[in-house]
Amino acid sequence: MARDSSATKARLLDAALTEFAEYGIAGARVDRIAETAGANKRLIYVYFGNKEQLFDLVLQQAMEQGAESVPFDASDLPGYAGAIFDHLADRPALMRLVAWKQLERPGTSAAGAEAYRGKTAAVAAEQEAGRVDAGTDPADMLTLVLSLAQSWFAAPGGPATDADGTAWHGGRRERYRAAVVAAVARIVAPAGPGSRI
């Protein structure tokens, strides 16, 4: 029984991720989530509470998976940006989910704010050690790194797609990733003697 319950919950969460990424919180329908998951709609309320609570759980799990898949490394911000790029390219629904969250429920959770403070402190330590440019506030530096890593996924046309909606082809993913890594490398490089920065 527990195994069946776990499998049903997992199907519902997968279906909810797809639904929320496509329609946002307001546009998502629990009946579509249940139908996609092959489950009774009532189980959504039993397992997860209301639609907003389900969205929060889906987003939290996506963020936790991202943090596990792409550990933060302040000593290699270009590599970190490239890893974020890869993570997003493999999960096109994730940026849409985050965009809906920003539109419909702006702000951050206490856990999210704490994680950001920890990353900012790590960037500050790299700046103090002279390994990252100290001319930019550490929180601003982190924001720039994250924004560059996500830039192609927030562009018109949708994440990881060409203008016609098809997946990137012809080496575009590799070129875009290389551009992200190179851009981050330039902005984090410490300014030295003779630097044009």
Side-chain angles (χ1 to χ4, degrees), residues 33-71:
I33 294 170
E35 182 179 342
T36 300
N40 186 310
K41 180 169 75 171
R42 183 182 61 81
L43 292 176
I44 292 174
Y45 300 102
V46 170
Y47 293 146
F48 309 112
N50 62 33
K51 184 169 66 168
E52 288 75 17
Q53 290 170 310
L54 176 59
F55 178 85
D56 289 342
L57 180 59
V58 167
L59 183 63
Q60 176 188 343
Q61 287 188 339
M63 295 297 103
E64 288 172 357
Q65 182 188 30
E68 290 173 13
S69 299
V70 186

Side-chain angles (χ1 to χ4, degrees), residues 78 177-187:
R177 185 190 196 282
V180 165
V181 171
V184 171
R186 283 193 295 275
I187 66 166

Side-chain angles (χ1 to χ4, degrees), residues 51-135:
K51 184 169 66 168
E52 288 75 17
Q53 290 170 310
L54 176 59
F55 178 85
D56 289 342
L57 180 59
V58 167
L59 183 63
Q60 176 188 343
Q61 287 188 339
M63 295 297 103
E64 288 172 357
Q65 182 188 30
E68 290 173 13
S69 299
V70 186
F72 182 66
D73 184 359
S75 69
D76 182 13
L77 291 171
Y80 177 64
I84 291 173
F85 179 95
D86 291 337
H87 184 77
L88 294 174
D90 292 339
R91 294 159 186 83
L94 183 54
M95 278 302 294
R96 290 193 303 271
L97 185 70
V98 171
W100 281 115
K101 191 270 181 200
Q102 290 297 97
L103 287 169
E104 296 184 290
R105 297 181 69 185
T108 188
S109 67
E114 182 59 33
Y116 201 83
R117 281 192 292 273
K119 290 175 183 176
T120 300
V123 171
E126 290 296 309
Q127 289 175 317
E128 289 172 19
R131 293 185 290 266
V132 169
D133 177 57

Side-chain angles (χ1 to χ4, degrees), residues 18-39:
T18 301
E19 179 77 7
F20 286 128
E22 183 69 23
Y23 300 103
I25 303 168
R29 298 290 176 257
V30 292
D31 54 341
R32 282 195 301 247
I33 294 170
E35 182 179 342
T36 300

